[in-house]
């Protein structure tokens, strides 16, 4: 049983920073794709960043390039998303996901966390 638990969300002013964490359990953390997605009210869920845990290769959506950084701690089976220079349009429920797709499409991921809210004012 795969479990993903996000934490680190909160409220911040524009220009501020937050770091999200996603603790994974119940599956082999190595050599899987893990991603961060977000969903704002009334909008579709969109991919923000993803990482292949085997190599550490990362890919970002254009909207967050240069501001967000995805990273991992393999020993802790934990994925992170460092978010800097936050904007009001970054406000959303942020989800962690795991799967084999390795893109930014939701269809490549089988397992999802419960989400953590990020609000930028």
């Amino acid at each position: 049983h795969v479990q993903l638990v996000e934490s680190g969300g909160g409220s911040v002013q524009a220009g501020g920073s937050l770091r999200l964490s996603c603790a994974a359990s119940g599956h082999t953390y190595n050599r899987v794709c893990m991603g961060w997605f977000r969903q704002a009210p009334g909008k579709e869920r969109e991919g923000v960043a993803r990482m292949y845990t085997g190599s550490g290769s990362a890919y970002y959506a254009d909207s967050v390039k240069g501001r967000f950084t995805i990273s991992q701690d393999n020993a802790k089976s934990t994925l992170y998303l460092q978010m800097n220079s936050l904007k009001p349009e970054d406000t959303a429920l942020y989800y962690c996901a795991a799967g084999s797709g390795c893109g930014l499409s939701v269809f490549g991921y089988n397992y999802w966390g419960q989400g953590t809210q990020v609000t930028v004012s």
Side-chain angles (χ1 to χ4, degrees):
H1 176 67
V2 177
Q3 187 173 19
L4 303 173
V5 180
E6 303 99 333
S7 61
S11 296
V12 65
Q13 290 188 337
S17 299
L18 285 172
R19 188 177 81 154
L20 305 183
S21 299
C22 172
S25 62
H27 75 109
T28 301
Y29 182 80
N30 290 330
R31 300 180 184 178
V32 296
C33 283
M34 295 195 68
W36 286 100
F37 292 77
R38 66 187 182 186
Q39 188 166 20
K43 294 188 177 182
E44 293 187 352
R45 192 171 298 187
E46 64 174 354
V48 173
R50 67 85 173 141
M51 174 170 279
Y52 178 62
T53 61
S55 65
S57 67
Y59 185 78
Y60 299 90
D62 288 342
S63 59
V64 305
K65 278 181 183 176
R67 300 189 299 122
F68 291 11
T69 303
I70 190 171
S71 63
Q72 61 178 348
D73 184 334
N74 282 358
K76 296 181 179 179
S77 297
T78 300
L79 186 75
Y80 302 100
L81 185 68
Q82 178 67 43
M83 305 185 295
N84 298 329
S85 302
L86 282 162
K87 305 175 181 180
E89 51 263 44
D90 294 318
T91 295
L93 190 59
Y94 282 70
Y95 296 91
C96 173
S100 58
C102 245
L104 291 181
S105 168
V106 299
F107 299 108
Y109 295 83
N110 307 101
Y111 304 100
W112 294 83
Q114 81 289 349
T116 185
Q117 179 67 38
V118 172
T119 302
V120 185
S121 59

